[in-house]
Amino acid sequence: MIKIENVSKKYKNKERIISVLDNVNYEFEANKLYCIIGKSGAGKTTLIEILGLLLDFDSGKILINQKDVSSLSDNEKSIMRNKNFGFVFQSYYLNPLMKAYENVMLPMYLDKSINNNQRKEKAFKLLSQVDLKDREKHFPKELSGGEQQRVAIARALANNPDIILADEPTGALDTENAINILNILKELSKQGKCVIVVSHDDRVKEYADIVLKIEDKKIKEA
Ligand SMILES: Nc1ncnc2c1ncn2[C@@H]1O[C@H](COP(=O)(O)OP(=O)(O)OP(=O)(O)O)[C@@H](O)[C@H]1O
Ligand SMILES: [Mg+2]
């Protein structure tokens, strides 16, 4: 599904160069829930941003369904992203001025084959899938943290992506909400998606098919 080959990443600023990933290789498959662990600063967010075509890297390749996407233009990458990926990032806030269903509709605007009524209908359906029936017209500030996270998941699913990338999706949630989110992510992997979750949270490990650890600039099976 998504494969990285010999990927290396260094951050450079004026004072220093920080090498985060060094010749990393891994193939992520469909139908699986991956949990990526590692110390703070190990490079988990860096890896997930590279996988999501959000961050450039220094050398190596990324292949999505055997197609090398590393040398696509920014515009081609953003089309690829919109079509293939769903993102559930803590830093990817919901738009506070939009109702829940409007947030979920956002990624659908790039798909010109459907009209607004169809987008809205789809948004309502996705919200009911994450158990947010009757919250469709709430603004983010009128939702709990767990509910907001579920809106973010519904939005991530808007274009029916094959790959779901989640960075600490349960970080701010209590046990009940965390388990709810994990069940949704697990279900998506069983439906055939490749779900990759970065987490310090031991609860996530229990749900994962494969636990990966980033350590010493490499990915290892934990
Ligand atoms: N834009 C940047 N410029 C310079 N250094 C950076 C930049 N972004 C991240 N780093 C450094 O790269 C390393 C890896 O960062 P990353 O965010 O991937 O870690 P992480 O494993 O996600 O950590 P955490 O668990 O704390 O979220 C860290 O040492 C960080 O300081
Ligand atoms: Mg991080």
Side-chain angles (χ1 to χ4, degrees), residues 151-163:
V151 176
I153 291 181
R155 183 183 57 182
L157 300 177
N159 290 335
N160 193 29
D162 292 331
I163 306 163

Side-chain angles (χ1 to χ4, degrees), residues 9-13 16-21 36-49 55 167-168 198-200 214:
K9 171 70 185 172
K10 293 186 177 78
Y11 289 105
K12 304 175 190 78
N13 60 21
R16 66 177 99 241
I17 296 175
I18 300 169
S19 170
V20 180
L21 299 173
I36 300 180
I37 59 171
K39 278 192 217 147
S40 177
K44 303 179 295 297
T45 298
T46 301
L47 174 68
I48 215 146
E49 288 183 350
L55 184 67
D167 197 351
E168 296 280 1
V198 164
S199 188
H200 294 288
I214 303 189

Side-chain angles (χ1 to χ4, degrees), residues 37-128:
I37 59 171
K39 278 192 217 147
S40 177
K44 303 179 295 297
T45 298
T46 301
L47 174 68
I48 215 146
E49 288 183 350
I50 288 175
L51 288 170
L53 313 181
L54 292 162
L55 184 67
D56 287 331
F57 44 97
D58 304 309
S59 54
K61 277 186 198 169
I62 298 191
L63 299 111
I64 298 178
N65 299 325
Q66 278 92 258
K67 181 179 163 23
D68 184 0
V69 295
S70 346
S71 51
L72 296 180
S73 69
D74 285 351
N75 192 37
E76 289 167 324
K77 275 185 193 156
S78 89
I79 293 168
M80 199 80 194
R81 252 196 318 269
N82 201 265
K83 225 173 64 186
N84 293 282
F85 292 97
F87 296 98
V88 187
F89 286 4
Q90 278 204 306
S91 54
Y92 269 46
Y93 298 115
L94 300 173
N95 185 324
L97 303 175
M98 289 182 169
K99 292 171 185 163
Y101 80 91
E102 293 168 328
N103 269 287
V104 178
M105 281 170 74
L106 267 182
M108 301 180 200
Y109 287 101
L110 277 172
D111 180 0
K112 306 294 180 202
S113 71
I114 55 173
N115 66 31
N116 260 348
N117 279 335
Q118 292 168 307
R119 290 185 185 112
K120 186 169 171 181
E121 203 176 295
K122 207 169 150 192
F124 272 63
K125 203 170 137 208
L126 287 165
L127 285 168
S128 86

